[in-house]
Amino acid sequence: MTHVLVIDGTGRGHAICDLFVRTDPSVTVYYGPGCDALTDERIVPVPAIRVDDPRTALEFLATHPVEFVFVSHIDALCAGYTDVLAAHGHRVIGPSRAAAALEASKERGKRFCAQHGLPTAEYAAFTDAAAARAYVRQRPYACVVKTDGLTPDGDGAVVCETAAEAEAAVDAFAAVQGEDLLLVVEERLYGREISVFALLDGDDYLLFPTALDFKRTLEGDAGKNCDGMGSLAPHPESSPALLEQIRRDLVEPFLRGIAAEGLSYTGFVYIGAMITATGLRVIEINTRFGDSEAEAVLPGVHSDFTELCRAVLRRDLGNSLLVTDGLVRCSVALTQGCVDPTDPAAAPGWPFGPFTTGQPVLGLAQFPRDSARLFYANLRADADGRPVTSGGRVLHVVGAGRTLTEARAQAYRRIGAISFPGMRHRTDIAAAFEAGSQLPAGAEPAVVETGR
């Protein structure tokens, strides 16, 4: 029996654990801190592990040896998990702390793109609000204003229509950050976003299926950006020609930049990009898989993921293949909204403001596993072992089918059997793509070869 340790505690982390146990019947996954509401006997939560403290993982590993550790949470990567565990002799997959700065600092990520030939929007970085406002007024285009660092709910970017909106965003960030202000102001791009994923071994890569993430909080893609309200995989514009463009213009320049800077990078990279009228443009670099895209992409992977990880550790990924099932998947996030929407004093709910956790979740075990998939995020077991909410995005419901209509129907049918006080979700995830033609299964090849 093989044991591995996954460092995460999100729906993405659950999807990665599920990928291990689904594709390798001999593996047991320790999942730290994980989710103690999980009931899979081969996914073992380790709540004593903290994503911000690699010493907690070292203490666990001292008595629970594993073949390797897979670090997939950005807070853990920024805390130097990969560096610390490797320094203590553990085999570990994940970018170093220095490489994780490509996500942790938007200015660092933009500078990396500019220096290594990844196409991106024109931008400038500022530590002075007045200078940022002046820059906005001088631009002949609409802007996006981003705070430099990580934000807890993925709401660190404000997409603006006018200069006045952009100046207001600058002032809002300045009011919160004070003397620590660091902003990126960039040209607003127009087109359709695409989430690009690749598994890296330090020399080579394996391209994973693409996805479309729905980041806006409200129906009709309204409201502010958040961590994501759902995803569609594969991306509706995916084609062999687009995949080749992704390799040439995004992934391979990224690898060359990593090598040129001597950064230690294994594991997933997630390049958020825009398909514009003039080609692909990078929006941001993320040094882990997307969440909620992982829940829509990873269930379609059928290659033995333990073996792929071994190939990463051998730096031999170039001899591997990624086998996928070619199905369409639609993921919908269930979030903690108002417990009593009729109460004018009730909290507005995630991600708008404070919310009340500890709400009992019903209906998680009423349907067979093959009808739809559930990936646990902010769930925990109460004193009686019953699942209750513990954060903003509670769980992700994923439907699959030969067409988008089938996938959406599976997801929303399963959602209809789940309930908890204040449950909120978007009812229109991927609905716009049902009009006209169906998104066909197999929009991406069933076998995706390595990039070299």
Side-chain angles (χ1 to χ4, degrees), residues 210-450:
T210 58
L212 175 62
D213 185 29
F214 296 84
K215 294 183 174 66
R216 298 287 190 164
T217 51
L218 301 176
E219 309 284 313
D221 284 329
K224 68 176 185 176
N225 282 341
C226 68
D227 279 334
M229 297 296 292
S231 289
L232 168 63
H235 191 280
E237 294 188 27
S238 182
S239 67
L242 180 60
L243 294 178
E244 182 57 33
Q245 187 180 3
I246 285 169
R247 292 178 184 274
R248 183 187 68 242
D249 296 346
L250 303 185
V251 180
E252 290 173 5
F254 178 82
L255 281 179
R256 290 194 294 270
I258 290 293
E261 296 198 12
L263 295 173
S264 175
Y265 200 123
T266 59
F268 286 117
V269 64
Y270 155 28
I271 302 175
M274 185 78 79
I275 305 171
T276 76
T278 56
L280 291 167
R281 296 290 182 271
V282 175
I283 298 173
E284 62 183 8
I285 294 172
N286 302 278
T287 57
R288 37 76 196 180
F289 216 99
D291 184 12
S292 61
E293 295 100 327
E295 294 88 330
V297 171
L298 297 183
V301 173
H302 289 265
S303 298
D304 184 327
F305 193 60
T306 306
E307 286 298 328
L308 289 181
C309 288
R310 288 170 177 150
V312 168
L313 292 165
R314 294 192 307 266
R315 304 190 89 152
D316 187 33
L317 203 53
N319 291 317
S320 299
L321 292 176
L322 187 74
V323 179
T324 61
D325 61 15
L327 295 179
V328 179
R329 285 180 170 81
C330 177
S331 170
V332 182
L334 306 187
T335 72
Q336 181 65 72
C338 298
V339 173
D340 182 5
T342 65
D343 179 3
W350 185 89
F352 305 102
F355 49 85
T356 304
T357 59
Q359 307 304 317
V361 182
L362 304 178
L364 298 184
Q366 292 182 359
F367 279 60
R369 180 186 175 100
D370 59 359
S371 67
R373 303 300 310 278
L374 303 181
F375 294 105
Y376 293 5
N378 286 297
L379 271 175
R380 64 174 178 83
D382 67 10
D384 297 317
R386 295 172 299 193
V388 298
T389 65
S390 61
R393 283 195 305 180
V394 178
L395 71 153
H396 303 259
V397 182
V398 185
R402 299 294 300 174
T403 66
L404 174 57
T405 295
E406 291 177 6
R408 293 191 73 249
Q410 288 276 29
Y412 283 105
R413 185 180 304 118
R414 185 68 181 86
I415 288 170
I418 299 171
S419 65
F420 55 87
M423 187 176 92
R424 188 182 76 85
H425 66 279
R426 279 183 54 174
T427 63
D428 65 342
I429 297 298
F433 300 103
E434 284 192 299
S437 61
Q438 294 294 329
L439 179 67
E444 294 191 355
V447 176
V448 181
E449 295 188 15
T450 187

Side-chain angles (χ1 to χ4, degrees), residues 45-67:
V46 187
I49 290 178
R50 292 174 44 176
V51 295
D52 61 350
D53 187 356
R55 294 173 299 178
T56 59
L58 289 174
E59 292 171 0
F60 175 80
L61 292 168
T63 55
H64 298 79
V66 300
E67 182 175 335

Side-chain angles (χ1 to χ4, degrees), residues 12-299:
R12 170 194 55 239
H14 185 190
I16 291 172
C17 292
D18 175 77
L19 178 59
F20 273 113
V21 301
R22 181 172 50 79
T23 61
D24 179 4
S26 70
V27 72
T28 293
V29 180
Y30 295 125
Y31 182 28
C35 171
D36 64 3
L38 288 172
T39 57
D40 191 311
E41 63 181 11
R42 290 199 292 132
I43 302 177
V44 182
V46 187
I49 290 178
R50 292 174 44 176
V51 295
D52 61 350
D53 187 356
R55 294 173 299 178
T56 59
L58 289 174
E59 292 171 0
F60 175 80
L61 292 168
T63 55
H64 298 79
V66 300
E67 182 175 335
F68 58 84
V69 182
F70 195 102
V71 185
S72 57
H73 196 290
I74 184 57
D75 290 349
L77 296 169
C78 291
Y81 246 85
T82 301
D83 313 69
V84 172
L85 269 57
H88 283 78
H90 296 287
R91 304 173 82 203
V92 55
I93 296 173
S96 66
R97 186 203 302 258
L102 295 172
E103 175 175 356
S105 167
K106 293 182 177 65
E107 188 278 330
R108 173 73 173 99
K110 294 290 288 188
R111 180 158 38 91
F112 180 91
C113 290
Q115 292 174 341
H116 300 292
L118 281 81
T120 191
E122 183 179 54
Y123 79 100
F126 299 93
T127 58
D128 178 75
R133 291 194 300 271
Y135 180 83
V136 165
R137 290 192 294 270
Q138 295 165 1
R139 295 306 93 191
Y141 45 70
C143 293
V144 178
V145 180
K146 300 178 179 179
T147 186
D148 182 67
L150 299 172
T151 53
D153 296 317
D155 55 357
V158 181
V159 181
C160 305
E161 296 281 353
T162 65
E165 288 181 9
E167 290 189 59
V170 169
D171 290 339
F173 284 129
V176 173
Q177 297 175 23
E179 295 182 356
D180 296 326
L181 181 68
L182 180 54
L183 298 176
V184 169
V185 180
E186 64 182 59
E187 175 186 2
R188 179 177 174 179
L189 299 171
Y190 294 90
R192 183 162 290 151
E193 290 192 31
I194 184 169
S195 299
V196 173
F197 307 104
L199 182 65
L200 313 182
D201 69 1
D203 294 322
D204 215 328
Y205 71 96
L206 198 59
L207 195 63
F208 273 56
T210 58
L212 175 62
D213 185 29
F214 296 84
K215 294 183 174 66
R216 298 287 190 164
T217 51
L218 301 176
E219 309 284 313
D221 284 329
K224 68 176 185 176
N225 282 341
C226 68
D227 279 334
M229 297 296 292
S231 289
L232 168 63
H235 191 280
E237 294 188 27
S238 182
S239 67
L242 180 60
L243 294 178
E244 182 57 33
Q245 187 180 3
I246 285 169
R247 292 178 184 274
R248 183 187 68 242
D249 296 346
L250 303 185
V251 180
E252 290 173 5
F254 178 82
L255 281 179
R256 290 194 294 270
I258 290 293
E261 296 198 12
L263 295 173
S264 175
Y265 200 123
T266 59
F268 286 117
V269 64
Y270 155 28
I271 302 175
M274 185 78 79
I275 305 171
T276 76
T278 56
L280 291 167
R281 296 290 182 271
V282 175
I283 298 173
E284 62 183 8
I285 294 172
N286 302 278
T287 57
R288 37 76 196 180
F289 216 99
D291 184 12
S292 61
E293 295 100 327
E295 294 88 330
V297 171
L298 297 183

